[in-house]
Amino acid sequence: MADTVLLPTVPIRHERRPAADMVRAAEAFADRMAGRRSVRDFAPDPIPEGVVEAAVRAASTAPSGANVQPWRFVVLTDPARKRRLREAAEAEERDFYQRRAPQEWLGAIAQLGTDWEKPFLETAPAVIVVFEVHQGPHSPKPYYVKESVGIAVGLLISALHHAGLVTLTHTPSPMRFLNEVCERPPEERPNLVLPVGYPAPDARVPDLARKPLDEVMIRQ
């Protein structure tokens, strides 16, 4: 530690707000996020230029182990590339649903009506493929990779919802085909796929209930 060169520091930019303003801001954000839903039926309408870029920029502010920032966000908008993604994902998903999925898992998701078909990967105007960046020729050893990327994805989903878009967390199994589709090196490991856009005019979502606060929060 004696030879470690510390990073330079700068004053933190922080404005202490009145308590009432803080409560209102926190409640307004919670209310807005309460309207977030996972959507599987997308309109093909294009996304305004700059929205996805700003959302990814927000995601990139996430804390990460040793500040390595072990994430890569690949944004697919080319129709041919999205079609290739859908075909590859459906091939894996068909095999998973028909042969490899545990019955317990199939029973748990049966009420949601999902299956191996993933048309949203082609219909959504943009698809963000999130990769974990592990140690490689041009990347340092990361720490707490899944935790770091998970936080970044949470910020990304929040930013997209705040901007007025909908998305869905899609995790095909296995996911290594995403490296080929997205032309990424082996040290980048797929984490999840996020189709992004507007809901289709006739889109519907399951009438789910979220757990109440007193069930998920414990004050000690």
Side-chain angles (χ1 to χ4, degrees), residues 102-183:
Q103 285 301 315
E104 182 180 7
W105 166 251
L106 294 176
I109 64 171
Q111 61 180 337
L112 301 177
T114 62
D115 57 26
W116 62 267
E117 295 184 279
K118 309 299 177 186
F120 48 76
L121 294 176
E122 194 170 357
T123 308
V127 179
I128 304 174
V129 184
V130 183
F131 288 85
E132 305 167 3
V133 181
H134 291 260
Q135 188 169 17
H138 306 291
S139 55
K141 179 180 179 180
Y143 304 90
Y144 302 102
V145 183
K146 290 194 178 297
E147 294 87 345
S148 302
V149 174
I151 296 169
V153 168
L155 287 176
L156 177 60
I157 292 171
S158 299
L160 292 168
H161 178 71
H162 184 69
L165 298 173
V166 297
T167 188
L168 168 74
T169 52
H170 173 51
T171 52
S173 176
M175 290 195 282
R176 270 300 185 181
F177 69 90
L178 291 167
N179 287 75
E180 181 179 352
V181 172
C182 299
E183 300 179 13

Side-chain angles (χ1 to χ4, degrees), residues 46-128:
I47 298 170
E49 190 72 28
V51 174
V52 170
E53 290 82 355
V56 171
R57 187 159 59 89
S60 297
T61 68
S64 62
N67 194 39
V68 173
Q69 304 166 58
W71 42 66
R72 190 84 73 231
F73 303 93
V74 179
V75 182
L76 307 182
T77 56
D78 175 64
R81 182 90 62 168
K82 290 190 297 173
R83 187 176 307 114
R84 185 181 171 197
L85 169 63
R86 176 185 178 182
E87 290 171 353
E90 287 185 337
E92 294 289 358
E93 290 289 87
R94 187 187 300 111
D95 184 64
F96 176 75
Y97 273 82
Q98 294 177 354
R99 289 196 318 108
R100 294 182 284 111
Q103 285 301 315
E104 182 180 7
W105 166 251
L106 294 176
I109 64 171
Q111 61 180 337
L112 301 177
T114 62
D115 57 26
W116 62 267
E117 295 184 279
K118 309 299 177 186
F120 48 76
L121 294 176
E122 194 170 357
T123 308
V127 179
I128 304 174

